[in-house]
Amino acid sequence: ETMALKKGQIFEIDIETIAFGGRGLGRLEGMAVFVDQALPGDRVRARVVRKKKRHAEARMVELLEPSADRVDPPCQYVGWCGGCKWQALKYERQLVYKRDQVEEALGHIAGIDEVPVHPTLASQQVYHYRNKMEFSCADRRWLLPAQMGDSTIDTGFALGLHVPGTFYKVLDIEACLLQPDLGNQLLDTVRRHMRASGRPPYGLKSHVGFWRFLMLRHAVAHAHWRVNLVTSEEDRETVQPLADDLMMHYPQVVSVVNNISDRRAAIAVGEREILLAGKPVLRESVAGLQFNVSANSFFQTNTLGAAAMYGVVERMADLQGTEQVLDLYSGTGAISIYLATRAKSVVGFEWTAAAVADAEINCRLNGVTNCRFVEGDVLKQLPAWERPVDVMIVDPPRVGMHPKVLKQVIDLAPGRIVYVSCNPATLARDLLALKTCYQVAEVQPVDMFPHTWHIEAVARLEKINP
């Protein structure tokens, strides 16, 4: 008989493990209880916030006995900002739980138990690793408990990050430790300008106001930065002085753009872009290759982590120089280009035209001539492929691969598949579909996002007796 926990009830519990999504998991008389901010080994007092038939969700009220895996988080916003929930967990333990998460998904969803899942590849940088940050403006500032009742704080302006579960309240963030220090200096300068500009921040409820987002992008190899100011309308008089100021004070800032977006949706991609100062494009170098990163194109958020992951893909692909390689979901061409010098030829399939245009430029930048890209839905484009495929690389979005694409892959029967995944659950689901024809030889988890529960994994699949 499960316990009759009620909403609002306070209870004590020992946390045993970490659940998918990063919350602590304990059991109370047979019922699974998920506790936000709690870590394995903690004994906590918690309050029920949601009660379902088979489980309850709770929030920590008091830490009674801390886990041996706890460390002091360096960030003042930890527990309030939704960005990184695991700062209080020792980094080496984070890596262990991430590996467990991959192994568990494979066993639980795909029934794959005997595959070697290697220890997680650590991120070279545990802080300051993000090369892209997006900060939101708001006309409601969310205060930390310590700031409550401080009449000197202007609660009508914030530039920072969202508190989870509230779309219109934003924490005014002084510094985010996931970005390099210069990013925090830029954040401070932009905030001072915005406040002094006389133009209001955008209200996430009212949909009225001027300043919407600040996006910072950092090219690690050259220590270059691009600042993207997203506003609701064009107003050169207001934004130009800020752009000039940034260029003058920060030699590392090579580009300042203004994206105009008057859509209600809170996404920081503008309808049109105005170059205010410097160059339109940022150039990044990963593992000795050059890449153009234009304002709205996808690029791995952890540059050094990306280089490590491409290394894993290269090792698993094990190319001898004679292979025909297909790269599904090829994006701006990074993996295709990385493998091109080691293959006979590479063809990338990519849905968005802008990404294909970037990929073609990136090929030219690196003098790669045996690589081309097919634009369009992989579901429609792949059936037209006639020639044999030796190695296939797949790097699908979080939702995984379309069942019909999986069927096409099985029909093409590549000798080897290297599957790059950012979601262990959909990886496992897709491997289950491929299990009849492919044996999963090994899986390598790669940590690109320290202090968050996100994990990338690369799996090598070998065709069973072709």
Side-chain angles (χ1 to χ4, degrees):
E1 182 63 12
T2 57
M3 189 173 168
L5 276 177
K6 288 191 262 322
K7 195 174 168 179
Q9 188 178 332
I10 291 181
F11 58 96
E12 288 187 13
I13 191 168
D14 290 307
I15 305 298
E16 293 154 31
T17 182
I18 279 179
F20 186 68
R23 293 175 300 182
L25 173 59
R27 297 201 173 272
L28 211 57
E29 301 191 15
M31 177 172 252
V33 183
F34 299 95
V35 186
D36 216 24
Q37 311 299 329
L39 303 176
D42 282 343
R43 180 167 181 80
V44 302
R45 188 171 281 132
R47 179 188 290 112
V48 180
V49 287
R50 216 174 268 120
K51 170 77 169 64
K52 296 276 192 339
K53 223 187 202 135
R54 296 237 163 95
H55 74 271
E57 294 172 31
R59 196 161 283 146
M60 186 155 72
V61 177
E62 190 189 347
L63 180 58
L64 300 171
E65 288 166 38
S67 161
D69 294 337
R70 269 192 181 271
V71 291
D72 238 1
C75 174
Q76 59 174 322
Y77 308 107
V78 84
W80 304 104
C81 159
C84 37
K85 292 186 186 258
W86 282 7
Q87 282 191 46
L89 180 60
K90 273 183 191 158
Y91 185 58
E92 51 274 25
R93 298 300 293 161
Q94 295 182 26
L95 297 174
V96 171
Y97 289 119
K98 289 187 183 196
R99 177 185 177 274
D100 291 351
Q101 194 183 308
V102 173
E103 200 167 47
E104 204 169 297
L106 291 175
H108 195 72
I109 299 167
I112 298 173
D113 301 313
E114 60 297 333
V115 173
V117 178
H118 305 304
T120 308
L121 210 57
S123 175
Q124 261 180 283
Q125 292 172 297
V126 179
Y127 282 101
H128 315 300
Y129 61 83
R130 283 191 67 98
N131 59 31
K132 174 185 171 210
M133 286 293 297
E134 186 179 302
F135 298 101
S136 299
C137 297
D139 61 356
R140 299 266 186 101
R141 173 169 169 178
W142 205 87
L143 296 181
L144 296 174
Q147 298 167 326
M148 296 288 188
D150 181 344
S151 58
T152 63
I153 295 176
D154 169 13
T155 54
F157 178 92
L159 172 61
L161 300 169
H162 283 267
V163 177
T166 67
F167 81 94
Y168 63 93
K169 285 183 179 168
V170 169
L171 270 170
D172 193 65
I173 299 242
E174 274 172 48
C176 173
L177 303 182
L178 297 192
Q179 69 172 349
D181 197 50
L182 187 76
N184 294 319
Q185 295 173 41
L186 293 170
L187 174 64
D188 183 57
T189 300
V190 170
R191 176 188 289 111
R192 284 205 310 266
H193 255 273
M194 284 178 172
R195 300 193 69 139
S197 70
R199 301 281 331 243
Y202 191 80
L204 297 168
K205 267 189 167 174
S206 68
H207 298 288
V208 176
F210 179 68
W211 298 107
R212 292 198 71 171
F213 301 95
L214 164 66
M215 283 176 76
L216 300 176
R217 190 74 85 165
H218 166 225
V220 180
H222 312 288
H224 285 168
W225 289 73
R226 177 175 61 224
V227 178
N228 178 4
L229 307 163
V230 184
T231 58
S232 61
E233 58 181 355
E234 187 174 338
D235 177 0
R236 282 299 277 266
E237 272 173 49
T238 300
V239 294
Q240 194 64 52
L242 171 50
D244 299 340
D245 191 36
L246 290 169
M247 293 295 281
M248 192 169 78
H249 282 103
Y250 298 101
Q252 302 95 321
V253 172
V254 298
S255 170
V256 184
V257 297
N258 175 201
N259 269 253
I260 316 289
S261 174
D262 57 9
R263 282 181 300 201
R264 288 190 151 213
I267 43 173
V269 176
E271 276 88 88
R272 55 200 181 91
E273 183 172 292
I274 301 164
L275 179 64
L276 298 174
K279 302 185 283 209
V281 192
L282 208 55
R283 172 84 42 96
E284 180 58 289
S285 145
V286 183
L289 295 167
Q290 301 292 311
F291 295 100
N292 265 358
V293 185
S294 54
N296 298 325
S297 74
F298 172 79
F299 193 77
Q300 286 287 1
T301 330
N302 178 341
T303 309
L304 297 173
M309 188 175 71
Y310 300 158
V312 172
V313 173
E314 182 201 352
R315 177 181 71 73
M316 288 190 186
D318 191 25
L319 300 171
Q320 308 302 311
T322 56
E323 293 89 349
Q324 171 65 64
V325 179
L326 293 196
D327 178 8
L328 308 191
Y329 317 95
S330 53
T332 52
I335 292 177
S336 294
I337 292 165
Y338 193 80
L339 296 177
T341 53
R342 296 158 184 86
K344 186 174 171 223
S345 77
V346 181
V347 177
F349 288 77
E350 169 54 39
W351 187 71
T352 43
V356 170
D358 279 349
E360 285 167 348
I361 291 167
N362 291 335
C363 270
R364 287 200 291 278
L365 278 179
N366 294 290
V368 166
T369 53
N370 61 334
C371 189
R372 66 184 182 86
F373 297 93
V374 178
E375 184 195 316
D377 187 346
V378 82
L379 194 56
K380 298 196 176 67
Q381 300 291 350
L382 205 53
W385 186 263
E386 305 275 279
R387 288 182 307 222
V389 181
D390 302 301
V391 176
M392 187 179 275
I393 314 291
V394 295
D395 184 0
R398 288 196 70 76
V399 292
M401 294 167 77
H402 193 289
K404 286 184 182 160
V405 173
L406 282 165
K407 196 183 164 315
Q408 291 171 0
V409 168
I410 288 170
D411 290 346
L412 280 171
R416 179 178 297 132
I417 299 171
V418 180
Y419 189 133
V420 181
S421 162
C422 60
N423 182 344
T426 54
L427 168 69
R429 186 200 68 201
D430 290 350
L431 294 189
L432 177 60
L434 293 165
K435 216 164 103 165
T436 47
C437 310
Y438 287 87
Q439 188 220 342
V440 184
E442 56 171 329
V443 180
Q444 175 65 68
V446 182
D447 187 25
M448 309 269 265
F449 305 102
H451 315 301
T452 77
W453 52 273
H454 294 286
I455 180 70
E456 305 263 333
V458 187
R460 174 166 65 88
L461 286 72
E462 300 288 347
K463 184 120 178 61
I464 300 165
N465 48 15

